Amino acid sequence: MSDPHDRRYVLTLGCRDRPGIIAGISSFIAEFGGSIVEAGYHSDPDTGWFFTRQAIAAATVPFGLAELRDRFAAVAADFGTETDWQVHDSGARRRAVLLVSRDGHCLHDLLGRAGSGELPATVEAVIGNHPDLGEMASAHGVKFHHVPFPKDPAERGPAFEQVRALVDEHDPHAVVLARFMQVLPASLCEHWAGRAINIHHSFLPSFVGARPYHQAFARGVKLIGATCHYVTAELDAGPIIEQDVSRIDHADDVRDMVRQGRDIERVVLARGLRWHLEGRVLVHGRRTVVFS
Amino acid sequence: MSDPHDRRYVLTLGCRDRPGIIAGISSFIAEFGGSIVEAGYHSDPDTGWFFTRQAIAAATVPFGLAELRDRFAAVAADFGTETDWQVHDSGARRRAVLLVSRDGHCLHDLLGRAGSGELPATVEAVIGNHPDLGEMASAHGVKFHHVPFPKDPAERGPAFEQVRALVDEHDPHAVVLARFMQVLPASLCEHWAGRAINIHHSFLPSFVGARPYHQAFARGVKLIGATCHYVTAELDAGPIIEQDVSRIDHADDVRDMVRQGRDIERVVLARGLRWHLEGRVLVHGRRTVVFS
Amino acid sequence: MSDPHDRRYVLTLGCRDRPGIIAGISSFIAEFGGSIVEAGYHSDPDTGWFFTRQAIAAATVPFGLAELRDRFAAVAADFGTETDWQVHDSGARRRAVLLVSRDGHCLHDLLGRAGSGELPATVEAVIGNHPDLGEMASAHGVKFHHVPFPKDPAERGPAFEQVRALVDEHDPHAVVLARFMQVLPASLCEHWAGRAINIHHSFLPSFVGARPYHQAFARGVKLIGATCHYVTAELDAGPIIEQDVSRIDHADDVRDMVRQGRDIERVVLARGLRWHLEGRVLVHGRRTVVFS
Amino acid sequence: MSDPHDRRYVLTLGCRDRPGIIAGISSFIAEFGGSIVEAGYHSDPDTGWFFTRQAIAAATVPFGLAELRDRFAAVAADFGTETDWQVHDSGARRRAVLLVSRDGHCLHDLLGRAGSGELPATVEAVIGNHPDLGEMASAHGVKFHHVPFPKDPAERGPAFEQVRALVDEHDPHAVVLARFMQVLPASLCEHWAGRAINIHHSFLPSFVGARPYHQAFARGVKLIGATCHYVTAELDAGPIIEQDVSRIDHADDVRDMVRQGRDIERVVLARGLRWHLEGRVLVHGRRTVVFS
């Protein structure tokens, strides 16, 4: 059997459900002797939608990525015009750009994972609206850009344009708001749709917006959380990729929550980002299918 | 040393913080040779409030509960007029009345715990706005009252009055809304303040009100939860005693959430109720101090 | 789309892995227009084994269970002689027999779930080596048998024979050791292989054998756990179906662990048993594949 | 009220339990007007031992640390000759030395926390038995020493002596085996008793020794874990400070466990180390009292 960690072609597909889709795809793969090392399927009775992710050992595919795509297009054509599918090569390293502000815990964590090879992406650049984290990026050998943001939100347009230009230069598979603390304008949400990923420091939909740990303290909750989600124009309302929580008690004040929360934020972001980069996340409306 | 599970006098106190309170209380106890088997303290710098719960082995107290209260009153007088304190005897079994509707999982669980002696209370009566759970209560040897509720919320006053009368007959230490599914009128919230405990089937403050699992499904969250809280006039906004969550994924539909949620609801309610009955929960504003 | 909770035929299969198995099975199902409402696949590179569980909406199968089995036998024949497969009808209620001793929390919980329809099985009988839980079984309308066990383990053969006869009368899909506290003789392990399920009150492989909470206390662990596993001749060493843990601290003594542990035991056993009854658990050597 | 994060004197004490200890300590503090910002107490009925940790706002102590110690010595003298106590100044930064091998995830994480001020210690030096992590230490501005270890365990004495000398130079409050992968000789365990902290990549006491994830995979457990404990001469058997677990399933192979395990190891080590450095951990025999 192939090692599932070896290079593989990853097929993801979403389409209107009907009998025969799994048979169609698996017969197509079996025909050329492809070995499926991971297979996830999901039928959603509420939406009538079907989702799958299949990883085929690259060594068992007797042609290249382009031809695999061409051949599969003919199969997918049978599944209806709304069908959305992709094939990517796990051996082609992916690119990420990170947007940060002053809190460095998520940045430091992602740079560490990138350095050890755990994150399936190279960090192409780090962009900060403050200069504070420049040294951290540099120490990890990553280029840092400081783009100052005016105090007045109404005047931030040019700064966002500069960020956009710096990001787009790398055509990244992921634009990560690693505690960026700035609300993206709708045009950028649209532009990076499906690629911009945020970590919000609450268990959404609780405590949307600013200072969620202060809100959590005031409400007296017994667990705090973090949420990794795709960025959409509506604040903190995009499709959720991953969430987790941590127990607190009455002795924990806001500073304790902030400290404890960092441990959840780091892990939730890293997990969500990895799944995104490995093509494990399929979005449908406001919900995600995650073949973790 | 005394066995902490043996009979003890439990002192709980909340007052404005200042140096010397711990010394005052512990010197008072040491003076008569009392053995403290559990001691919890909390100073809240945000509110400037101090909270404590102390359990004294009853066998080491050379006088009765009434005298202990009398003597302690003199100590507490020094802590300011806002001081709120109580002493209760863990050996005096407490009383609970349960309000239910048609979902029996919390009722069945609490009756089981009461029967095995795990719940530190006797269930005096079960009151249902539907007759469905009468048989379950009877099988556990507990009296069941069916109080039908009119469809029109505006006409439910007399039904609530009947519930109130049935409950008050037992002067219970806890009025438990074990998936009661009815919003208590403000007058009853007020009347049972600090004694009425609800289990809400979401991780509050997310998904207040009706059909929280449907809301959770629509939002696409990755964890569902349950919250045990004191009932106040504002819906699902009372001080939280306990919460917990359970992981779900895209394959779980609302029915799966309902089933999985029952396991969290049962445990969260049982835990919160036990802490309440053992005097482990001190309320201050919208927050609770829980000396679990 | 079909409701996944509706009646379905559940196919489970394990065989030596090779390309084309998924295609073979899904083409077979597609041919008669079957709608797959749940599909789980797993290729294990370590053993070279393939596992699948597929639930087909019964309403989309144009013939009966017997014919479905006959037809599928021809498909499975292609997958090698070691292939192990089953098809069961989710609409055919399954049977469970529970073995208990004196601790009633798991029994009470399972009887509650059976009564509400949550457990996909009827509890045919409860057998206790002590009479204590007879009343609980009766109150839930279930027949109880008391089989006294001699003190001397060497003399327990006849008692086990009696238990075996009482169990086998019902030809149950699950023989549940719901805190039975007796070690089954190897012959019974063999006789009920794949059907006897135990709940052990520790996070195995830690704390095998007697008094695991005492062992946990002595070792000073910070989490306690419970394990649901198939019973095999080696004590507490059978394939694990499900485990969970709960946090404790230094203030929790053995009695606190026992109380807190009950909440984990109940849920872990109920979860593991449901998965077993729904054909979600495939055993391979000492490991299980659980399509939860 | 004082901010609990401000500078404080932290008193920890363990002694044979008897009535009056809390009163004795709190009266002593009240006498000079000290404000207790955190107080933890624990009476262990099994051992008859009493433990406390109290944090006094330094601003409310009208004399210095030395005098506080002198004065308290007189109080402690009343609690018996076995009494063990310490007072430390939270404002005096503590020192840690880290021992590593080739896996850098714990090192990277601790260096990040030290850099952001979250870890209440400076990392004085990193010592590796391989040179691999030298660059990582240097990038964080920390001195790295490479001490090569001979293949033959019998010949490692001089290498350990060199490590000992390099560590002792800094007289550290914590010697952290951050995935050091070498078994300390008994003499070093003894020499650093109460200061040497290890992270073991299993939920102890399961899977002691080498390759715990391989052991976990072979046993088919459903949760993996990590354990932070004091190092003693018996391998992986020292008093446990902290543990945590993470859910896995049949689709996770050893490499997945290793990756997922890193996230638990990092957090469990960081948490345990912080508690140790803040004087929150009191050891008694093989168990710890952790006033977290």
Side-chain angles (χ1 to χ4, degrees), chain B residues 64 75 108 113 139 171 175 185 211 214:
Chain B
V75 177
H108 186 263
R113 290 175 199 262
D171 187 23
V175 183
R211 294 163 61 95
H214 287 80

Side-chain angles (χ1 to χ4, degrees), chain B residues 3 113 140 255 263 274, chain C residues 3 108 113 255 259 263:
Chain B
D3 182 329
R113 290 175 199 262
H140 287 81
R255 271 202 265 185
D263 284 341
R274 183 169 64 80
Chain C
D3 182 330
H108 186 264
R113 291 175 200 262
R255 270 201 266 184
R259 190 198 59 237
D263 284 342

Side-chain angles (χ1 to χ4, degrees), chain B residues 259 262, chain C residues 93 110-121 274 278:
Chain B
R259 190 197 60 236
R262 283 195 291 252
Chain C
R93 199 125 179 100
L110 291 179
L111 291 172
R113 291 175 200 262
S116 72
E118 181 187 317
L119 193 77
R274 183 170 64 80
E278 295 180 351

Side-chain angles (χ1 to χ4, degrees), chain A residues 9 51 79 84 86 90 133 166 235-236 246 253 264 273 285:
Chain A
Y9 295 119
F51 307 88
F79 303 153
D84 185 30
Q86 295 184 49
S90 78
L133 300 178
L166 286 165
L235 183 65
D236 297 331
S246 180
D253 62 18
I264 327 176
L273 178 56

